[in-house]
Amino acid sequence: MTLTASGPTTASVPPPSARSSAAARRRRRWAALVPYAYITPFFTLFAAFGLFPLIYTAFVSLYRVELQTPGDMEWRGFGNYAALLTDEFFWTALRNTFTIGVLSTVPQLAMALGLAHLLNYKLRGRTFFRTAMLLPYATSVAAATLVFAQLFGRDFGLVNYALSLIGVGPVDWQNGTLASQIAVSSIVVWRWTGYNALIYLAGMQSIPGELYEAAEMDGASRWRQFFHVTLPGLRPTIVFTTVVSTIGATQLFGEPLLFEGSTSGGISHQYQTLGLYLYEQGWGFFHLGRAAAIAWLMFLLILLLVGVNALIARRRSRREKGRA
């Protein structure tokens, strides 16, 4: 009889090339997941504090909800929106928001553009001036508004005293419609002009110097250089500041609230903005459902204004490309 000895069977071991290719695939998969790991915290916070409140506000706007009993919700559908569209105070707040927005945004951006143009030249102490530009922006809304409320006082305000020196009688800055809106707009202009000026200054410094040298060789004055070199180079920056200022004007709240200290925006609601109207409905009259509807109307209004600004900018750029 013949015995055949068989050795122990061993598991097949993959060659080194297969092991290295598998490790390479794992590294590639991990490298593809790393960017998502970096942005996950942002989207998590955005979903918790941005997206969820937005969706929940839309949900609440379809119900009758009172602040005293937030658990008792009565379905209204679009009844809150219909009630707002028939409320004269809503249209007054919308008109005031538009007026104050124009009175604050247009002078603010024009002054910021002029200041940035001056600071773009070599001046003594320009670092100091650039730093001083941000001081109003760093000031709290409450402090700035309280100071301006004293400046625009009817009887002892410094503004009326300065007007009296040129023969103008005292102006009731808190009860007059246009006067109160100008006073509130001046606070916004004072706080945000320097901030926008630094944005414009950064945009001006990114314009190639060769363009100014070529314009100067052609005999263009500084004004012509400003209109034909600086402004076209700043167009994206101007669009950005216009959009941001429009959003800020639509959400204006602190300045009109603290100017007189009431949510009604004056005796006859003469400077009540949409933000104040929302606060009055939600925390003054306890109508949370209606306040949520106002918030969503403000959101849709902002989308509309931003879309109009983008459409105007796109048409202007297409027109200039066609001319070129």
Side-chain angles (χ1 to χ4, degrees):
M1 182 174 63
T2 305
L3 298 177
T4 304
S6 60
T9 58
T10 59
S12 60
V13 179
S17 59
R19 290 198 300 268
S20 61
S21 61
R25 285 195 297 270
R26 285 196 298 269
R27 285 196 298 269
R28 284 195 296 268
R29 283 197 295 266
W30 173 250
L33 293 176
V34 166
Y36 296 99
Y38 283 122
I39 64 176
T40 296
F42 166 76
F43 283 102
T44 302
L45 294 176
F46 173 74
F49 299 101
L51 187 60
F52 172 74
L54 185 66
I55 297 175
Y56 187 72
T57 302
F59 172 75
V60 172
S61 67
L62 302 177
Y63 289 84
R64 183 195 301 275
V65 186
E66 300 299 324
L67 184 62
Q68 303 93 329
T69 56
D72 298 335
M73 304 178 68
E74 178 185 348
W75 172 260
R76 290 202 65 189
F78 291 99
N80 288 326
Y81 295 92
L84 288 177
L85 296 179
T86 57
D87 187 0
E88 60 175 337
F89 293 120
F90 169 77
W91 294 105
T92 301
L94 180 62
R95 183 174 61 251
N96 293 340
T97 301
F98 175 78
T99 306
I100 295 176
V102 173
L103 291 175
S104 60
T105 301
V106 176
Q108 172 193 151
L109 297 183
M111 293 171 59
L113 193 59
L115 290 173
H117 185 62
L118 292 176
L119 292 176
N120 196 30
Y121 290 101
K122 295 182 179 180
L123 300 175
R124 288 185 178 180
R126 58 179 179 178
T127 303
F128 167 77
F129 289 115
R130 292 175 182 178
T131 305
M133 287 287 183
L134 283 178
L135 291 180
Y137 172 71
T139 306
S140 67
V141 179
T145 306
L146 292 177
V147 170
F148 271 82
Q150 298 298 320
L151 292 176
F152 284 100
R154 184 187 62 181
D155 299 324
F156 303 103
L158 186 59
V159 175
N160 277 343
Y161 173 75
L163 292 177
S164 65
L165 298 179
I166 58 176
V168 179
V171 179
D172 193 352
W173 295 102
Q174 292 186 341
N175 294 324
T177 301
L178 182 59
S180 61
Q181 293 178 0
I182 291 175
V184 173
S185 301
S186 65
I187 308 173
V188 182
V189 171
W190 181 81
R191 291 193 67 239
W192 290 95
T193 297
Y195 175 83
N196 288 309
L198 291 182
I199 294 179
Y200 286 146
L201 179 61
M204 289 178 183
Q205 292 180 346
S206 66
I207 299 175
E210 294 81 4
L211 298 178
Y212 291 101
E213 294 176 0
E216 189 174 358
M217 291 179 61
D218 290 339
S221 62
R222 287 191 174 183
W223 279 108
R224 287 186 174 273
Q225 294 178 24
F226 177 75
F227 283 106
H228 296 284
V229 178
T230 305
L231 286 183
L234 280 181
R235 183 166 293 110
T237 309
I238 293 175
V239 172
F240 169 76
T241 54
T242 302
V243 171
V244 172
S245 300
T246 302
I247 295 174
T250 307
Q251 298 176 338
L252 194 63
F253 174 74
E255 289 85 350
L257 174 65
L258 298 173
F259 184 65
E260 192 184 10
S262 65
T263 59
S264 61
I267 299 176
S268 57
H269 300 257
Q270 66 268 18
Y271 60 90
Q272 185 184 47
T273 59
L274 286 175
L276 271 184
Y277 182 66
L278 184 154
Y279 186 83
E280 182 185 45
Q281 291 294 322
W283 283 263
F285 301 147
F286 310 127
H287 303 321
L288 292 184
R290 185 172 296 187
I294 299 171
W296 256 88
L297 287 178
M298 291 174 61
F299 175 69
L300 296 177
L301 178 62
I302 290 174
L303 290 181
L304 176 63
L305 294 176
V306 171
V308 170
N309 283 328
L311 182 61
I312 293 175
R314 185 178 301 177
R315 286 187 176 181
R316 187 171 298 175
S317 62
R318 286 180 179 177
R319 190 177 305 170
E320 291 182 355
K321 288 181 180 179
R323 291 176 182 177

